[in-house]
Amino acid sequence: MTDVVLPCRNEAAALPALLARMPPGYRPIVVDNGSTDGSAAVARAHGADVISVSEPGYGAAVHAGVLAADPDDGVVCVMDADGSFDPAQLPRVAVPVRGGAARLGVGRRRPAARAAWPLHARAANAALAWRLRRTCGLPVHDIGPVRAVRRDDLLALRLRDRRFGYPLELLIAAGRAGWPVLEVDVDYHPRAAGTRSKVTGTVRGTLRAVRDMSAVLAR
């Protein structure tokens, strides 16, 4: 069984369809990070394990979910809970890690529709990825929200960021540790109706994420 950490804040509208498409052998752990729309109750009603985290921030939610994952299985996946990704594609990032071809599998977003990835967010992501390739030598083109890694490996990195800088800090730490990193394409869809992105949904959200990630790069 592969655990799938789903950081969640007000994603009740997306969860039913998302959880219904979880592939066999993948166990969803919804990490409720201050939702006010009943996300936790919806997740439980659709068969997910649910934990609540009071500390705000994407990194705080992911870290709590990783701690809650089964330590005996080994591999854990992380994916946004907003309906923009298809859980059926999780094996694309998980299987190479489980088989030893990579220590970190990451998804490279391929928009399925123009509205899925606003230009301001795509440009910010491309700039950060270019800087990461240049400074760390990692062959990645997306600071993506879909990834797979062995739980013990991830915890051993002792990542500190608890906000939007968490995915970038993971990539930097993996590069410095000399991990083989494999990037694979994953479809990127518009978010489920009734949800709103904390990052790409507004220019302000994107700038906040860039600020957090830039702080990680400056360390």
Side-chain angles (χ1 to χ4, degrees):
M1 186 68 67
T2 300
D3 285 333
V4 183
V5 175
L6 300 163
C8 172
R9 184 175 180 184
N10 294 332
E11 312 288 8
L15 288 171
L18 177 74
L19 295 172
R21 288 190 57 79
M22 199 63 58
Y26 288 72
R27 179 176 73 109
I29 301 174
V30 173
V31 185
D32 187 57
N33 196 212
S35 295
T36 58
D37 66 347
S39 288
V42 171
R44 290 190 185 96
H46 287 81
D49 289 350
V50 178
I51 63 174
S52 296
V53 179
S54 58
E55 181 183 1
Y58 175 83
V62 172
H63 182 65
V66 171
L67 290 176
D70 184 355
D72 295 325
D73 177 74
V75 176
V76 61
C77 296
V78 179
M79 186 179 73
D80 283 359
D82 59 10
S84 57
F85 298 100
D86 184 356
Q89 296 182 347
L90 283 170
R92 295 185 184 182
V93 295
V95 169
V97 175
R98 189 172 293 281
R103 289 184 74 176
L104 175 64
V106 295
R108 180 181 184 181
R109 284 171 283 189
R110 295 297 192 179
R114 184 182 298 272
W117 203 353
L119 182 59
H120 64 269
R122 191 183 304 198
N125 179 80
L128 285 167
W130 174 84
R131 189 172 174 185
L132 184 61
R133 291 194 305 274
R134 184 171 178 269
T135 58
C136 299
L138 285 176
V140 297
H141 301 79
D142 191 358
I143 316 300
V146 178
R147 66 195 74 94
V149 62
R150 291 195 176 276
R151 179 181 182 274
D152 289 348
D153 281 349
L154 178 54
L155 292 176
L157 292 177
R158 300 184 181 277
L159 304 182
R160 295 181 294 159
D161 195 278
R162 295 295 180 260
R163 301 184 68 83
F164 292 125
Y166 183 96
L168 181 59
E169 185 182 13
L170 171 57
L171 287 169
I172 292 172
R176 289 174 176 169
W179 286 10
V181 176
L182 178 66
E183 184 178 68
V184 299
D185 289 350
V186 293
D187 295 336
Y188 190 41
H189 301 273
R191 293 172 56 92
T195 67
R196 184 179 181 184
S197 173
K198 290 78 181 171
V199 178
T200 62
T202 65
V203 173
R204 181 180 179 183
T206 297
L207 291 175
R208 186 169 61 241
V210 170
R211 178 201 64 195
D212 291 348
M213 292 184 179
S214 295
V216 171
L217 283 168
R219 289 176 187 167

